[in-house]
Amino acid sequence: MIAQWYGTIARGRILNSALILTVKPPTMTNRRKTEIANWAATALASYLSSPGLELDLNIVSGDASFRRYFRAEVNGKNFIVVDAPPENENSHAFVEIAQLFSAAGVTVPQVISVDYENGFMLLDDCGDDCIYRNCRHVSIYTRHDPTGCFYIR
């Protein structure tokens, strides 16, 4: 992380200032990408009862964490493959919250398979639309998150 401060000081007072933080996300090693691709191919082959799948993982987005999201297309259906390094992310909580939301009737991606030890998850793909893009007319409190989506509370 690189931090830089910019500001104007006059007569001992700060008139304006800005702190710029540049954060470089960790890069995924080729080995880890190969591992998650192999794991996802095996998990999808089992889920779809279709042995011998080869996957091409395409980056979808990141969020304000160490998780990385990839899209895999198989037979015209999209799936999300999540890399959530266990030393940095709590996949147990992620899965539990998804199950609680689903049980409450909230549409969330179905967790198809999880490898807690390696931090890999396979989810169904709900698409790219955020709630905000589809519900702009809603006039209740919203919260913006780092991925550019708005969520209604």
Side-chain angles (χ1 to χ4, degrees):
M1 177 183 334
I2 301 168
Q4 296 175 313
W5 180 82
Y6 298 93
T8 305
I9 300 176
R11 297 184 197 160
R13 294 179 52 185
I14 298 175
L15 299 179
N16 57 40
S17 67
L19 179 63
I20 311 259
L21 294 177
T22 304
V23 178
K24 289 187 172 186
T27 56
M28 176 179 271
T29 64
N30 286 338
R31 179 175 166 234
R32 184 146 177 96
K33 188 168 182 182
T34 300
E35 288 173 354
I36 196 170
N38 290 338
W39 175 85
T42 301
L44 276 168
S46 174
Y47 177 70
L48 298 171
S49 300
S50 179
L53 293 178
E54 290 187 25
L55 293 183
D56 184 26
L57 299 181
N58 299 302
I59 191 81
V60 175
S61 71
D63 63 10
S65 71
F66 288 93
R67 282 187 298 271
R68 298 287 174 256
Y69 300 90
F70 301 90
R71 181 167 279 129
E73 182 183 343
V74 178
N75 301 329
K77 182 165 171 49
N78 290 329
F79 298 89
I80 297 296
V81 179
V82 182
D83 176 28
E87 63 274 7
N88 302 104
E89 296 294 337
N90 184 349
S91 295
H92 291 279
F94 183 98
V95 171
E96 184 177 344
I97 290 168
Q99 291 169 341
L100 289 170
F101 279 160
S102 182
V106 178
T107 301
V108 294
Q110 174 192 357
V111 178
I112 297 167
S113 186
V114 181
D115 177 340
Y116 291 111
E117 185 178 326
N118 289 303
F120 301 154
M121 292 184 279
L122 176 64
L123 315 174
D124 66 352
D125 188 353
C126 290
D128 292 323
D129 287 341
C130 296
I131 291 173
Y132 176 74
R133 291 185 198 109
N134 295 311
C135 300
R136 293 175 197 233
H137 62 280
V138 176
S139 61
I140 60 176
Y141 173 81
T142 60
R143 176 184 62 81
H144 180 265
D145 82 359
T147 64
C149 297
F150 287 78
Y151 300 89
I152 299 172
R153 182 178 81 174

